[in-house]
Amino acid sequence: MIINYIWFCLIVSNRLYPTWEQLKDAHNPLTPGEEALLSYLDKYLPKDSNWTKDKPLSAYRGWLIFAQPFLNGSRPDIIIFHPFVGVVIYEVKDWDLNLYSREKDANGRWGKLYGRNGSSSYQVKSPIKQVNHYKEKIIGQLVPAIGERMDKDKKAFGLIKTALYFHKSPEWKAEELFVNPEKDSSYLPILGSDSLMPGNLEKVVPDVNYSNSYFWDIAWNEELLFWFNPPFHYIEQGGPLTLKGNQEKLAMPAVGHHRARGVAGSGKTQALAYRAANLASSGLNVLIISFNITLWHYIKDMIARAPFKFKWDKITFSHFHGFCKDKLNEFGEEWPRSPEPTVFEFPFEYENAIENFFKATVPNSVRQAVAGGDYDKYDAILIDEGQDYHVEWYGMLNELFLTKRDELLVVCDKKQNIYDREMDWIDKRVTRQGLEKFVSPFIDLTVSYRMPQKVAELSNEFSELFNLNQDIKLSKIDILPVLLHSQHIVWLNIRDSEWQDMVYHAFRRLKKAQYSPSDIILLLPSHKHGQDCINLFKEKGIEVNHVFEDNSEARYHPHKKAFWMGDSRLKMSTIHSFKGWELLNIVLYIPLGIPDNPKKLDAIVYTAITRTKENLIVLNSNQRYVGFGEKFPKKWNEQDV
C-alpha cells in the first residue's frame, strides 16, 4: 500500500523536495516517523494546481515540503513553506515516551528531560531546543531580515513556527511532557501518532487555512528557497572573479594541509572563494569556516562570482563557534555552561576562564558529542582569518571533520592578530599532534590590489613603526582604475569628549561627497560607544545597520547576523566584527584609553585602516598615535572649512 501511495505521489506531486523516488535512494534514509509525517503532509496540505515547472517556486501558492533540507550544513527533519504565509519546522522523534520523564519546579514549570535505559537514567536535550535552533539559524544567520521584522513587531513572531512529532506515542502523552501552559500552543504544536488524522490538519499545520499573511514579505522567498533547496550555480557573465599572481596558487585545490599569508588587500579571501567553488564543481563537500560571525555573507557573495558550475549544497559556511553549536544540536547535546563571573575574586581570573572555555571546553564538548557517531565530514576545510584560531580548534577540525581526502587550507594575516593569539602552530615552530601535516611552505601574497595607494602606504608605515608582525611585507601596490576617482585620508587628533560630534561631522562630509549611507561604516571601539552612536543617529532620523546588542540579545546575536554589506542603511560595527570585510568609506574612532597590551590595540587600529576601498577618516583621541597622525591631512580638500 505504501509503495502504491509513493508511486501516486511521483505522478501528482509538484512540491516535495527531494521527490519520493530520490528519498528512497538518499544517503540518510527516512525514519518511520519522518516517512509517516511526510506522507500525511504531502497528501493533505493544499497544493497550487496552477503551478507548472516553468514558474519559480517563490510564486507557488500552496505548501512546499522539504525533507531533511540542507540549511547550510544543518539537517532539520522536515520543513514546510508557503511563499505567501510562512514556515513550519518539524522535529520528528521515534521515541517511546513511556521511557522519558520531566522534572517540574514548585510552580509546575518545565525542568530537565530524562530518558531511561533499564534501571539507569540520563539527561536528554529537549527536542524543543533542537527545533528552535533551526528557527534561530534561519531568522538570525540565513535570512536575517525575517528576524529584524520579528524584532520590530512581536505579532510577526509566528511567521516561522516549530512543531514536534512523536511517532511512537499518542498526542496526550507528548503534550503531557512538552506542552507549556504559559504559551500559545499554536506556535508549537505537539503531535503524536494519532494526530495524523484527515480532519486534524489545522492542529498539525496551524496556518493551513491562510493563503496570505500581512507580515510575510515575498522578498524573503528566494533567499529561503536557496537554503531549503540549494540551486545549481551557473557561470555568471558579469563581474567574474579573476586572479593575479600568487592568488592563482592559493586558489588551486590540492590534497594535504596548506598555509597562506598575505598583506592587507592582497585578495586572500577572493582566492579562497575561488578554491571553494572549484572544489564544489568537482562534487566535493567543502566547509568554509571563519572566526567572525559576520564574514561568511561576504565570502558567499565572492563565491557567487566564481566561474564554475556547482551545486550550492556542496558548500557549508560557518564561524567556529556557530559550527560547534550546530554539531552539539545535531547530537542532542547542550551548549556547555560558561564560567560565572561571581565565582572569581579578580576580573583577570574570569577573563582567563572565559578564554579557556571557548578555546578548549567548547571543542572538547563537540569531541564528546560526536564520538562514535555518524555525521557529515568534508573533503576540504578552508579556514579564513586563521590568525584568530587556536591550535585546539584546528585539531578538532582536522581530526573529526575531514574525509580521507584530507585537504585543509589556513589563510592568515598576522598583522591583524587583534586577539593576541599564539600563532606558532601556523608556523609549525612547535611540535604538536597533527601539525606535521603542514609540510609545504607558506603561499605568500605580497601585492595589495584593493586598498587605495595612500591608504596602503599609510598602513605599511603604521605596521613598521609599531612593529607589527613583519614575516611578510608589502612588495607592491597594484590599484584598480575604478578606485582612482576618490582617495582621501583625513586624520584628526581630537578631544575624547567631542567624539560623537566628530563622528557625525565625518558622516556628513562623506554624504556631501555624494556617498550613499550604505557605502559608509563607522568603526567604534566598544558596544558602549556603539549604543551611544546609534542613539545619536536615530535622533537625527538616520537608520543604522549595526552589530551592537543589549544583554537581552546576546544569546541570539540578531544584529551581528543581520549585518551585511547589501543593506541600504548606514553601517556601524566594532573593528572585531568588521574584520575581513571591506567598504568604500571607513570612519574610525580611536578612544582615549590604552589597554594593558598596547600591541593588541596597534593590531586593532591597523586592521581598521586596511578595511577601506576608497576613503579613510580617522578620529583619534589616543596619545599613542598623535605623532603618527600629524603627517596626514586634517581636512578633505583645501577649500573645505
Side-chain angles (χ1 to χ4, degrees):
M1 187 69 182
I2 294 248
I3 294 175
N4 289 338
Y5 175 69
I6 290 175
W7 177 248
F8 171 76
C9 289
L10 280 172
I11 298 172
V12 303
S13 178
N14 58 3
R15 46 78 174 274
L16 176 64
Y17 299 88
T19 65
W20 284 109
E21 185 175 43
Q22 290 167 333
L23 286 170
K24 285 193 297 180
D25 299 326
H27 173 68
N28 295 316
L30 296 174
T31 66
E34 289 170 343
E35 183 171 329
L37 181 57
L38 272 179
S39 297
Y40 177 84
L41 293 170
D42 195 25
K43 184 174 183 179
Y44 294 109
L45 275 178
K47 299 177 182 179
D48 182 352
S49 58
N50 295 318
W51 186 86
T52 54
K53 290 188 177 181
D54 61 318
K55 298 177 182 177
L57 278 182
S58 58
Y60 190 89
R61 288 194 170 272
W63 288 90
L64 300 164
I65 306 172
F66 302 91
Q68 300 176 351
F70 173 63
L71 213 63
N72 195 25
S74 295
R75 292 284 183 179
D77 295 327
I78 298 171
I79 289 180
I80 63 172
F81 171 44
H82 192 303
F84 297 87
V85 175
V87 174
V88 186
I89 310 168
Y90 293 88
E91 180 74 11
V92 179
K93 296 295 186 186
D94 287 56
W95 290 357
D96 179 356
L97 292 183
N98 291 313
L99 300 177
Y100 292 81
S101 60
R102 191 147 200 179
E103 286 182 346
K104 289 187 177 181
D105 62 20
N107 297 316
R109 295 192 184 95
W110 288 345
K112 296 176 182 177
L113 179 68
Y114 291 92
R116 191 170 70 255
N117 185 4
S119 60
S120 61
S121 64
Y122 53 93
Q123 189 175 339
V124 181
K125 183 176 181 178
S126 169
I128 294 176
K129 290 185 178 180
Q130 287 186 273
V131 74
N132 280 342
H133 174 78
Y134 303 126
K135 177 175 179 176
E136 292 166 19
K137 190 166 185 174
I138 292 172
I139 66 177
Q141 184 189 83
L142 303 181
V143 193
I146 302 177
E148 287 198 287
R149 173 65 58 85
M150 292 179 181
D151 286 343
K152 291 177 180 177
D153 191 337
K154 298 305 179 186
K155 293 180 181 179
F157 180 78
L159 289 175
I160 298 184
K161 292 181 170 65
T162 53
L164 304 183
Y165 171 62
F166 296 92
H167 184 58
K168 294 184 178 180
S169 296
E171 186 178 294
W172 71 265
K173 184 66 176 177
E175 290 183 337
E176 182 181 64
L177 281 175
F178 295 103
V179 165
N180 186 342
E182 298 177 357
K183 295 187 177 181
D184 185 346
S185 61
S186 66
Y187 289 108
L188 178 63
I190 307 296
L191 311 170
S193 55
D194 54 338
S195 302
L196 305 186
M197 304 294 290
N200 203 37
L201 186 59
E202 192 172 357
K203 171 68 183 290
V204 180
V205 185
D207 292 336
V208 69
N209 293 325
Y210 291 96
S211 58
N212 289 280
S213 168
Y214 171 79
F215 299 102
W216 190 260
D217 188 340
I218 60 173
W220 302 332
N221 291 350
E222 291 289 350
E223 207 168 351
L224 279 170
L225 288 166
F226 177 93
W227 297 111
F228 295 166
N229 187 37
F232 193 85
H233 175 271
Y234 293 93
I235 300 173
E236 297 186 2
Q237 299 300 313
L241 281 181
T242 56
L243 303 174
K244 296 182 179 180
N246 260 5
Q247 289 178 352
E248 294 183 357
K249 187 174 182 181
L250 193 158
M252 184 61 62
V255 171
H257 290 215
H258 309 276
R259 301 164 290 171
R261 58 191 177 187
V263 299
S266 59
K268 301 180 293 296
T269 301
Q270 182 171 319
L272 180 146
Y274 194 100
R275 184 173 184 143
N278 196 349
L279 286 160
S281 71
S282 299
L284 300 173
N285 291 311
V286 185
L287 171 65
I288 298 178
I289 190 164
S290 63
F291 177 78
N292 191 336
I293 194 173
T294 64
L295 184 58
W296 71 266
H297 291 286
Y298 174 65
I299 301 174
K300 177 175 170 286
D301 289 344
M302 283 272 190
I303 292 175
R305 295 168 48 205
F308 297 98
K309 296 179 180 180
F310 60 88
K311 189 77 183 297
W312 274 104
D313 63 3
K314 291 296 178 183
I315 304 176
T316 298
F317 304 88
S318 194
H319 63 287
F320 183 78
H321 292 112
F323 179 79
C324 291
K325 192 172 185 179
D326 279 349
K327 293 305 168 186
L328 290 171
N329 189 70
E330 181 180 332
F331 282 87
E333 296 294 334
E334 298 278 3
W335 183 259
R337 187 171 182 176
S338 60
E340 295 288 343
T342 53
V343 303
F344 296 94
E345 185 175 357
F346 301 104
F348 75 87
E349 292 178 325
Y350 173 64
E351 291 171 5
N352 290 340
I354 286 292
E355 175 74 6
N356 188 65
F357 173 78
F358 287 108
K359 175 182 177 181
T361 303
V362 171
N364 286 341
S365 296
V366 175
R367 287 179 180 275
Q368 294 168 13
V370 306
D374 183 21
Y375 55 90
D376 289 338
K377 296 185 179 182
Y378 303 91
D379 301 302
I381 296 177
L382 310 181
I383 301 173
D384 199 14
E385 304 289 336
Q387 72 278 352
D388 296 338
Y389 270 54
H390 294 290
V391 66
E392 289 83 356
W393 301 355
Y394 161 77
M396 186 199 83
L397 294 169
N398 166 40
E399 295 165 32
L400 301 181
F401 294 102
L402 274 171
T403 64
K404 291 181 180 180
R405 185 177 178 278
D406 197 35
E407 176 173 345
L408 185 142
L409 171 69
V410 179
V411 178
C412 67
D413 178 357
K414 296 182 184 180
K415 292 183 177 68
Q416 297 186 45
N417 184 15
I418 64 177
Y419 299 103
D420 198 28
R421 304 285 200 230
E422 289 289 339
M423 291 188 289
D424 281 351
W425 69 272
I426 301 178
D427 296 332
K428 210 183 66 172
R429 289 198 294 262
V430 292
T431 303
R432 300 190 192 182
Q433 184 178 3
L435 299 183
E436 66 276 3
K437 291 190 174 184
F438 287 122
V439 294
S440 56
F442 274 100
I443 301 170
D444 288 341
L445 280 67
T446 63
V447 180
S448 178
Y449 300 101
R450 168 175 52 80
M451 286 189 293
Q453 178 91 19
K454 296 175 183 178
V455 177
E457 291 170 353
L458 178 153
S459 61
N460 191 51
E461 183 180 349
F462 184 94
S463 73
E464 291 179 349
L465 179 64
F466 292 97
N467 197 31
L468 296 177
N469 186 285
Q470 297 295 311
D471 283 0
I472 183 172
K473 295 185 178 183
L474 180 70
S475 66
K476 182 183 177 183
I477 303 168
D478 187 356
I479 302 301
L480 298 174
V482 70
L483 298 175
L484 297 180
H485 72 274
S486 177
Q487 289 187 22
H488 294 88
I489 292 177
V490 176
W491 186 299
L492 295 173
N493 293 317
I494 65 172
R495 293 191 301 273
D496 206 48
S497 60
E498 60 183 0
W499 75 268
Q500 291 191 56
D501 289 340
M502 298 304 293
V503 165
Y504 183 64
H505 179 75
F507 167 74
R508 292 192 62 187
R509 172 60 268 187
L510 290 166
K511 283 273 289 180
K512 184 178 178 181
Q514 298 185 332
Y515 285 100
S516 165
S518 64
D519 293 326
I520 302 169
I521 185 157
L522 312 182
L523 295 182
L524 303 164
S526 71
H527 283 241
K528 173 63 168 63
H529 290 97
Q531 291 290 354
D532 290 344
C533 208
I534 291 165
N535 293 335
L536 169 67
F537 277 78
K538 282 187 176 179
E539 287 174 3
K540 298 181 181 296
I542 300 169
E543 289 289 322
V544 178
N545 184 19
H546 64 90
V547 303
F548 303 106
E549 299 160 349
D550 59 33
N551 291 335
S552 67
E553 299 169 323
R555 178 182 174 189
Y556 303 106
H557 304 302
H559 297 298
K560 285 186 178 180
K561 293 171 182 175
F563 185 80
W564 63 295
M565 295 303 99
D567 193 285
S568 62
R569 294 168 292 176
L570 169 69
K571 294 163 183 64
M572 293 186 193
S573 174
T574 60
I575 297 162
H576 296 73
S577 292
F578 195 68
K579 187 166 57 62
W581 288 91
E582 59 189 39
L583 206 62
L584 293 181
N585 303 285
I586 302 291
V587 178
L588 167 65
Y589 164 53
I590 308 172
L592 179 64
I594 296 179
D596 294 336
N597 183 356
K599 301 303 295 181
K600 187 175 179 179
L601 181 61
D602 296 340
I604 291 172
V605 173
Y606 172 83
T607 300
I609 63 181
T610 60
R611 297 300 92 205
T612 185
K613 295 171 70 175
E614 287 192 1
N615 302 305
L616 173 67
I617 300 177
V618 179
L619 307 172
N620 172 54
S621 297
N622 200 305
Q623 192 61 38
R624 182 173 178 83
Y625 307 114
V626 167
F628 178 79
E630 287 294 338
K631 66 189 75 174
F632 297 100
K634 304 297 180 289
K635 49 192 175 181
W636 190 265
N637 292 314
E638 289 300 319
Q639 64 268 27
D640 289 340
V641 178

PDB file of all heavy atoms in Angstrom, residues 128-129 132-133 136 293 325 334 549-558 561:
ATOM      1  N   ILE A 128      12.506  20.534  21.891  1.00  0.00           N
ATOM      2  CA  ILE A 128      12.074  21.920  21.656  1.00  0.00           C
ATOM      3  C   ILE A 128      13.286  22.797  21.398  1.00  0.00           C
ATOM      4  O   ILE A 128      13.286  23.640  20.490  1.00  0.00           O
ATOM      5  CB  ILE A 128      11.261  22.442  22.850  1.00  0.00           C
ATOM      6  CG1 ILE A 128       9.945  21.672  22.968  1.00  0.00           C
ATOM      7  CG2 ILE A 128      10.977  23.938  22.698  1.00  0.00           C
ATOM      8  CD1 ILE A 128       9.112  22.043  24.182  1.00  0.00           C
ATOM      9  N   LYS A 129      14.343  22.612  22.186  1.00  0.00           N
ATOM     10  CA  LYS A 129      15.570  23.380  21.974  1.00  0.00           C
ATOM     11  C   LYS A 129      16.201  23.029  20.635  1.00  0.00           C
ATOM     12  O   LYS A 129      16.754  23.895  19.950  1.00  0.00           O
ATOM     13  CB  LYS A 129      16.555  23.130  23.106  1.00  0.00           C
ATOM     14  CG  LYS A 129      16.140  23.724  24.440  1.00  0.00           C
ATOM     15  CD  LYS A 129      17.228  23.543  25.488  1.00  0.00           C
ATOM     16  CE  LYS A 129      16.831  24.190  26.808  1.00  0.00           C
ATOM     17  NZ  LYS A 129      17.895  24.027  27.831  1.00  0.00           N
ATOM     18  N   ASN A 132      14.120  24.725  17.901  1.00  0.00           N
ATOM     19  CA  ASN A 132      14.297  26.178  17.982  1.00  0.00           C
ATOM     20  C   ASN A 132      15.655  26.606  17.437  1.00  0.00           C
ATOM     21  O   ASN A 132      15.802  27.725  16.935  1.00  0.00           O
ATOM     22  CB  ASN A 132      14.138  26.649  19.421  1.00  0.00           C
ATOM     23  CG  ASN A 132      12.685  26.770  19.831  1.00  0.00           C
ATOM     24  OD1 ASN A 132      11.788  26.825  18.986  1.00  0.00           O
ATOM     25  ND2 ASN A 132      12.421  26.805  21.128  1.00  0.00           N
ATOM     26  N   HIS A 133      16.640  25.732  17.530  1.00  0.00           N
ATOM     27  CA  HIS A 133      17.965  26.039  16.970  1.00  0.00           C
ATOM     28  C   HIS A 133      17.862  26.302  15.470  1.00  0.00           C
ATOM     29  O   HIS A 133      18.505  27.215  14.945  1.00  0.00           O
ATOM     30  CB  HIS A 133      18.914  24.865  17.238  1.00  0.00           C
ATOM     31  CG  HIS A 133      20.250  25.002  16.586  1.00  0.00           C
ATOM     32  ND1 HIS A 133      21.253  25.817  17.083  1.00  0.00           N
ATOM     33  CD2 HIS A 133      20.768  24.449  15.462  1.00  0.00           C
ATOM     34  CE1 HIS A 133      22.319  25.742  16.305  1.00  0.00           C
ATOM     35  NE2 HIS A 133      22.043  24.923  15.315  1.00  0.00           N
ATOM     36  N   GLU A 136      16.234  29.735  14.944  1.00  0.00           N
ATOM     37  CA  GLU A 136      17.195  30.801  15.226  1.00  0.00           C
ATOM     38  C   GLU A 136      18.196  30.940  14.088  1.00  0.00           C
ATOM     39  O   GLU A 136      18.619  32.047  13.738  1.00  0.00           O
ATOM     40  CB  GLU A 136      17.916  30.513  16.537  1.00  0.00           C
ATOM     41  CG  GLU A 136      17.017  30.619  17.760  1.00  0.00           C
ATOM     42  CD  GLU A 136      17.647  30.000  18.992  1.00  0.00           C
ATOM     43  OE1 GLU A 136      18.886  29.823  18.991  1.00  0.00           O
ATOM     44  OE2 GLU A 136      16.926  29.692  19.955  1.00  0.00           O
ATOM     45  N   ILE A 293      31.581  36.155  12.996  1.00  0.00           N
ATOM     46  CA  ILE A 293      30.202  35.739  12.743  1.00  0.00           C
ATOM     47  C   ILE A 293      29.582  36.473  11.558  1.00  0.00           C
ATOM     48  O   ILE A 293      28.652  35.995  10.918  1.00  0.00           O
ATOM     49  CB  ILE A 293      29.348  35.946  14.013  1.00  0.00           C
ATOM     50  CG1 ILE A 293      28.008  35.222  13.906  1.00  0.00           C
ATOM     51  CG2 ILE A 293      29.123  37.419  14.300  1.00  0.00           C
ATOM     52  CD1 ILE A 293      27.211  35.246  15.195  1.00  0.00           C
ATOM     53  N   LYS A 325      28.108  24.807  17.729  1.00  0.00           N
ATOM     54  CA  LYS A 325      26.720  24.800  18.205  1.00  0.00           C
ATOM     55  C   LYS A 325      25.854  23.903  17.324  1.00  0.00           C
ATOM     56  O   LYS A 325      24.995  23.167  17.824  1.00  0.00           O
ATOM     57  CB  LYS A 325      26.173  26.227  18.222  1.00  0.00           C
ATOM     58  CG  LYS A 325      24.863  26.385  18.957  1.00  0.00           C
ATOM     59  CD  LYS A 325      24.485  27.863  19.107  1.00  0.00           C
ATOM     60  CE  LYS A 325      23.229  28.020  19.949  1.00  0.00           C
ATOM     61  NZ  LYS A 325      22.853  29.453  20.119  1.00  0.00           N
ATOM     62  N   GLU A 334      23.603  19.838  24.899  1.00  0.00           N
ATOM     63  CA  GLU A 334      23.508  21.238  25.280  1.00  0.00           C
ATOM     64  C   GLU A 334      24.836  21.952  25.073  1.00  0.00           C
ATOM     65  O   GLU A 334      25.909  21.344  25.138  1.00  0.00           O
ATOM     66  CB  GLU A 334      23.113  21.356  26.763  1.00  0.00           C
ATOM     67  CG  GLU A 334      21.748  20.772  27.103  1.00  0.00           C
ATOM     68  CD  GLU A 334      20.619  21.732  26.800  1.00  0.00           C
ATOM     69  OE1 GLU A 334      20.887  22.830  26.267  1.00  0.00           O
ATOM     70  OE2 GLU A 334      19.462  21.388  27.094  1.00  0.00           O
ATOM     71  N   GLU A 549      24.557  44.993  20.554  1.00  0.00           N
ATOM     72  CA  GLU A 549      23.438  44.301  21.175  1.00  0.00           C
ATOM     73  C   GLU A 549      23.354  44.618  22.658  1.00  0.00           C
ATOM     74  O   GLU A 549      24.372  44.856  23.313  1.00  0.00           O
ATOM     75  CB  GLU A 549      23.611  42.782  20.995  1.00  0.00           C
ATOM     76  CG  GLU A 549      23.643  42.370  19.537  1.00  0.00           C
ATOM     77  CD  GLU A 549      24.282  41.005  19.321  1.00  0.00           C
ATOM     78  OE1 GLU A 549      24.871  40.483  20.276  1.00  0.00           O
ATOM     79  OE2 GLU A 549      24.200  40.490  18.203  1.00  0.00           O
ATOM     80  N   ASP A 550      22.139  44.598  23.184  1.00  0.00           N
ATOM     81  CA  ASP A 550      21.995  44.702  24.628  1.00  0.00           C
ATOM     82  C   ASP A 550      22.000  43.300  25.230  1.00  0.00           C
ATOM     83  O   ASP A 550      22.089  42.295  24.518  1.00  0.00           O
ATOM     84  CB  ASP A 550      20.730  45.476  25.006  1.00  0.00           C
ATOM     85  CG  ASP A 550      19.463  44.827  24.451  1.00  0.00           C
ATOM     86  OD1 ASP A 550      19.426  43.582  24.344  1.00  0.00           O
ATOM     87  OD2 ASP A 550      18.507  45.554  24.126  1.00  0.00           O
ATOM     88  N   ASN A 551      21.893  43.198  26.537  1.00  0.00           N
ATOM     89  CA  ASN A 551      22.014  41.905  27.214  1.00  0.00           C
ATOM     90  C   ASN A 551      20.948  40.914  26.768  1.00  0.00           C
ATOM     91  O   ASN A 551      21.197  39.712  26.680  1.00  0.00           O
ATOM     92  CB  ASN A 551      21.935  42.100  28.733  1.00  0.00           C
ATOM     93  CG  ASN A 551      23.151  42.812  29.281  1.00  0.00           C
ATOM     94  OD1 ASN A 551      24.222  42.774  28.682  1.00  0.00           O
ATOM     95  ND2 ASN A 551      22.995  43.468  30.430  1.00  0.00           N
ATOM     96  N   SER A 552      19.748  41.405  26.474  1.00  0.00           N
ATOM     97  CA  SER A 552      18.661  40.508  26.077  1.00  0.00           C
ATOM     98  C   SER A 552      18.900  39.886  24.706  1.00  0.00           C
ATOM     99  O   SER A 552      18.292  38.870  24.358  1.00  0.00           O
ATOM    100  CB  SER A 552      17.331  41.265  26.066  1.00  0.00           C
ATOM    101  OG  SER A 552      17.323  42.249  25.046  1.00  0.00           O
ATOM    102  N   GLU A 553      19.774  40.489  23.904  1.00  0.00           N
ATOM    103  CA  GLU A 553      20.024  39.998  22.543  1.00  0.00           C
ATOM    104  C   GLU A 553      21.281  39.144  22.445  1.00  0.00           C
ATOM    105  O   GLU A 553      21.581  38.581  21.397  1.00  0.00           O
ATOM    106  CB  GLU A 553      20.164  41.181  21.581  1.00  0.00           C
ATOM    107  CG  GLU A 553      18.920  42.039  21.498  1.00  0.00           C
ATOM    108  CD  GLU A 553      19.167  43.343  20.765  1.00  0.00           C
ATOM    109  OE1 GLU A 553      20.256  43.921  20.923  1.00  0.00           O
ATOM    110  OE2 GLU A 553      18.262  43.781  20.050  1.00  0.00           O
ATOM    111  N   ALA A 554      22.039  39.043  23.529  1.00  0.00           N
ATOM    112  CA  ALA A 554      23.359  38.411  23.461  1.00  0.00           C
ATOM    113  C   ALA A 554      23.285  36.948  23.049  1.00  0.00           C
ATOM    114  O   ALA A 554      24.194  36.421  22.424  1.00  0.00           O
ATOM    115  CB  ALA A 554      24.065  38.536  24.816  1.00  0.00           C
ATOM    116  N   ARG A 555      22.176  36.264  23.391  1.00  0.00           N
ATOM    117  CA  ARG A 555      22.078  34.844  23.065  1.00  0.00           C
ATOM    118  C   ARG A 555      21.918  34.612  21.566  1.00  0.00           C
ATOM    119  O   ARG A 555      22.453  33.668  21.003  1.00  0.00           O
ATOM    120  CB  ARG A 555      20.892  34.227  23.815  1.00  0.00           C
ATOM    121  CG  ARG A 555      20.680  32.761  23.492  1.00  0.00           C
ATOM    122  CD  ARG A 555      19.478  32.208  24.224  1.00  0.00           C
ATOM    123  NE  ARG A 555      19.179  30.854  23.813  1.00  0.00           N
ATOM    124  CZ  ARG A 555      18.086  30.188  24.155  1.00  0.00           C
ATOM    125  NH1 ARG A 555      17.197  30.757  24.938  1.00  0.00           N
ATOM    126  NH2 ARG A 555      17.872  28.965  23.725  1.00  0.00           N
ATOM    127  N   TYR A 556      21.159  35.480  20.905  1.00  0.00           N
ATOM    128  CA  TYR A 556      20.802  35.234  19.504  1.00  0.00           C
ATOM    129  C   TYR A 556      21.631  36.031  18.511  1.00  0.00           C
ATOM    130  O   TYR A 556      21.647  35.716  17.331  1.00  0.00           O
ATOM    131  CB  TYR A 556      19.318  35.546  19.287  1.00  0.00           C
ATOM    132  CG  TYR A 556      18.418  34.743  20.190  1.00  0.00           C
ATOM    133  CD1 TYR A 556      17.797  35.335  21.280  1.00  0.00           C
ATOM    134  CD2 TYR A 556      18.207  33.396  19.955  1.00  0.00           C
ATOM    135  CE1 TYR A 556      16.968  34.593  22.112  1.00  0.00           C
ATOM    136  CE2 TYR A 556      17.390  32.650  20.777  1.00  0.00           C
ATOM    137  CZ  TYR A 556      16.770  33.251  21.856  1.00  0.00           C
ATOM    138  OH  TYR A 556      15.969  32.519  22.670  1.00  0.00           O
ATOM    139  N   HIS A 557      22.304  37.093  18.964  1.00  0.00           N
ATOM    140  CA  HIS A 557      23.106  37.953  18.079  1.00  0.00           C
ATOM    141  C   HIS A 557      22.314  38.427  16.865  1.00  0.00           C
ATOM    142  O   HIS A 557      22.772  38.310  15.727  1.00  0.00           O
ATOM    143  CB  HIS A 557      24.360  37.222  17.595  1.00  0.00           C
ATOM    144  CG  HIS A 557      25.234  36.704  18.692  1.00  0.00           C
ATOM    145  ND1 HIS A 557      25.780  37.514  19.660  1.00  0.00           N
ATOM    146  CD2 HIS A 557      25.662  35.450  18.980  1.00  0.00           C
ATOM    147  CE1 HIS A 557      26.505  36.783  20.493  1.00  0.00           C
ATOM    148  NE2 HIS A 557      26.438  35.540  20.110  1.00  0.00           N
ATOM    149  N   PRO A 558      21.099  38.971  17.026  1.00  0.00           N
ATOM    150  CA  PRO A 558      20.313  39.338  15.850  1.00  0.00           C
ATOM    151  C   PRO A 558      20.979  40.388  14.989  1.00  0.00           C
ATOM    152  O   PRO A 558      20.872  40.361  13.761  1.00  0.00           O
ATOM    153  CB  PRO A 558      18.998  39.858  16.451  1.00  0.00           C
ATOM    154  CG  PRO A 558      19.352  40.309  17.827  1.00  0.00           C
ATOM    155  CD  PRO A 558      20.420  39.356  18.274  1.00  0.00           C
ATOM    156  N   LYS A 561      24.154  38.939  13.042  1.00  0.00           N
ATOM    157  CA  LYS A 561      23.782  38.061  11.946  1.00  0.00           C
ATOM    158  C   LYS A 561      23.105  38.826  10.811  1.00  0.00           C
ATOM    159  O   LYS A 561      23.126  38.401   9.663  1.00  0.00           O
ATOM    160  CB  LYS A 561      22.864  36.962  12.479  1.00  0.00           C
ATOM    161  CG  LYS A 561      23.585  36.009  13.431  1.00  0.00           C
ATOM    162  CD  LYS A 561      22.619  35.073  14.105  1.00  0.00           C
ATOM    163  CE  LYS A 561      23.330  34.159  15.080  1.00  0.00           C
ATOM    164  NZ  LYS A 561      22.406  33.310  15.839  1.00  0.00           N
TER     165      LYS A 561
END
